[in-house]
């Protein structure tokens, strides 16, 4: 039986055309900043977000870890929501690598008033809040989107308090396509962004730190210190350029297929993630995942009674219909 894999959008296989672009890439030594394909990718991504510079890194996790260290000194405070990737899935990296103390707001989308109420100023005996991290789209909130107004509110509050604003933009492309917001409008609001090529865009590897030229120079040092300095990595950057040129607008198809699956289970997804709450269902998360596997469908367990499915480049209309039918049958 062929399995339809909806566990994550990080699992897409490069298409033959993407592999051809990778094979044809001109390369050099990127540790000397001499890989022309990496340089082209970094310039392209910086321009898309209206920033001065971008730095190619192996993963979204490394991108976040570098960004957090750029904006938050050791032993000072990063504020984020309790479900944020940076405090849920990065295995304490902010603390271990950056010595950063994190404090969390309730999980999910953040708003300016709630953040402002928690900011702690330097100089009166508390740990100072130096940075706020926002996730766009929000993974554990089911691909939910921070509206541009909400982000502008966060920018206004953080700027007024002299606090930096970071975006974990692993899926920022999905937000841009779903709302028609230019990437540069998002970019203008953040001091640092980490954006992933290896999620819905379908590249096998790679993320970028997007920021000022001064911070980017520091980011290259932090990347090297973490062991993320890569040599003839234009082979991977070529996949990223290919993905940016061809796979951004098509994210709308993933959103449409997520909606089709969502309809079958009574969920209205905002982007490509369909969160399924099993409260009241005879299945818990692992049981539902096992039953779905029997029907040829792989889903992710994200909580004791919560699973999710994620649409991506490898899932066509038939795959989405199969997922919708299986989930409707299991959950009816
Ligand atoms: C919101 C978010 N940020 C960061 C990452 C990390 O990306 P990577 O798996 O490339 O380290 C992920 C991965 O799923 C994610 O969902």
């Amino acid at each position: 039986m062929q399995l339809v894999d909806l566990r994550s959008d990080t699992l897409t296989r490069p298409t033959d055309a993407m592999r051809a672009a990778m094979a044809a890439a001109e390369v050099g030594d990127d540790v000397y900043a001499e890989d022309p394909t990496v340089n082209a990718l970094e310039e392209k991504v910086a321009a898309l977000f209206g920033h001065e510079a971008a730095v190619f890194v192996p993963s979204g996790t490394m991108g976040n870890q570098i960004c957090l260290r750029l904006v938050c000194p050791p032993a000072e405070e990063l504020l984020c929501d309790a479900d944020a990737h940076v405090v849920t899935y990065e295995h304490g990296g902010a603390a271990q690598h950056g010595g950063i103390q994190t404090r969390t707001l309730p999980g999910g989308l953040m708003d300016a008033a709630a953040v402002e109420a928690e900011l702690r100023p330097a100089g009166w005996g508390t740990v100072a809040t130096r940075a706020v991290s926002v996730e766009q789209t929000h993974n554990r909130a089911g691909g939910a989107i921070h509206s541009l107004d909400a982000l502008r509110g966060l920018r206004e509050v953080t700027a007024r308090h002299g606090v930096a604003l970071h975006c974990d933009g692993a899926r920022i492309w999905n937000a841009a396509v779903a709302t028609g917001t230019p990437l540069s409008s998002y970019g203008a609001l953040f001091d640092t962004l980490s954006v992933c090529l290896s999620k819905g865009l379908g590249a096998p590897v790679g993320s970028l730190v997007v920021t000022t030229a001064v911070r980017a120079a520091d980011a290259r040092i932090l990347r090297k210190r973490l062991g993320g300095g890569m040599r003839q990595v234009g082979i991977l950057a070529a996949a990223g350029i290919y993905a940016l040129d061809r796979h951004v607008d098509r994210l709308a198809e993933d959103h449409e297929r997520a909606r089709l699956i969502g309809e079958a289970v009574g969920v209205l997804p905002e982007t490509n993630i369909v969160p399924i709450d099993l409260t009241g269902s005879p299945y818990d998360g692992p049981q539902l995942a096992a039953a779905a596997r029997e029907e040829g469908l792989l889903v992710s367990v994200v909580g004791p009674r919560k699973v999710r499915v994620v649409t991506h480049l490898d899932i066509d209309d038939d795959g989405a219909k199969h997922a919708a039918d299986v989930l409707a049958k299991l959950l009816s």
Side-chain angles (χ1 to χ4, degrees), residues 10 58-62 64 85 90 135 137 139 168 170-171 196 198-199 207:
T10 58
S59 68
T61 300
M62 191 185 286
N64 278 331
H85 195 278
E90 300 189 8
E135 199 167 300
T137 64
N139 181 343
D168 175 353
R171 296 185 182 80
C196 292
S198 58
K199 310 267 177 299
S207 294

Side-chain angles (χ1 to χ4, degrees), residues 7-254:
R7 285 173 299 178
S8 166
D9 49 2
T10 58
L11 297 183
T12 45
R13 289 178 296 280
T15 60
D16 290 345
M18 184 183 276
R19 283 175 193 243
M22 295 166 76
E26 249 189 272
V27 295
D29 187 338
D30 184 48
V31 169
Y32 292 112
E34 287 173 2
D35 186 306
T37 311
V38 174
N39 293 344
L41 173 67
E42 291 181 344
E43 278 164 29
K44 188 177 178 78
V45 172
L48 283 174
F49 287 93
H51 270 261
E52 286 174 348
V55 180
F56 190 46
V57 294
S59 68
T61 300
M62 191 185 286
N64 278 331
Q65 294 297 310
I66 290 173
C67 289
L68 297 182
R69 291 168 76 176
L70 291 173
V71 293
C72 188
E76 303 205 356
E77 184 177 272
L78 171 79
L79 206 58
C80 63
D81 79 274
D83 275 332
H85 195 278
V86 293
V87 290
T88 307
Y89 297 116
E90 300 189 8
H91 293 279
Q96 175 145 31
H97 304 307
I100 293 169
Q101 174 163 312
T102 40
R103 191 155 52 91
T104 52
L105 281 80
L109 301 185
M110 295 203 297
D111 75 79
V115 166
E116 185 165 27
E118 295 299 332
L119 294 177
R120 288 180 175 155
W124 51 276
T126 55
V127 176
T129 313
R130 294 296 188 193
V132 171
S133 179
V134 182
E135 199 167 300
Q136 180 79 317
T137 64
H138 197 297
N139 181 343
R140 285 183 64 83
I145 301 171
H146 285 94
S147 70
L148 199 54
D149 275 354
L151 295 176
R152 286 187 176 134
L154 287 165
R155 171 81 275 181
E156 190 279 317
V157 159
T158 49
R160 189 153 38 79
H161 290 271
V163 169
L165 192 60
H166 167 65
C167 179
D168 175 353
R171 296 185 182 80
I172 200 165
W173 328 97
N174 295 83
V177 167
T179 61
T181 305
L183 293 166
S184 57
S185 301
Y186 289 139
L189 301 173
F190 295 102
D191 298 290
T192 53
L193 302 97
S194 170
V195 299
C196 292
L197 304 168
S198 58
K199 310 267 177 299
L201 298 193
V205 182
S207 294
L208 290 109
V209 167
V210 184
T211 188
T212 61
V214 170
R215 285 201 180 104
D218 290 341
R220 289 178 199 283
I221 294 168
L222 292 170
R223 181 183 67 176
K224 192 76 166 63
R225 191 173 291 150
L226 287 168
M230 300 178 285
R231 300 292 176 174
Q232 293 82 18
V233 73
I235 290 171
L236 298 179
I241 292 173
Y242 183 96
L244 286 169
D245 288 344
R246 293 172 181 80
H247 294 168
V248 177
D249 292 343
R250 67 148 304 285
L251 291 172
E253 295 173 26
D254 295 345

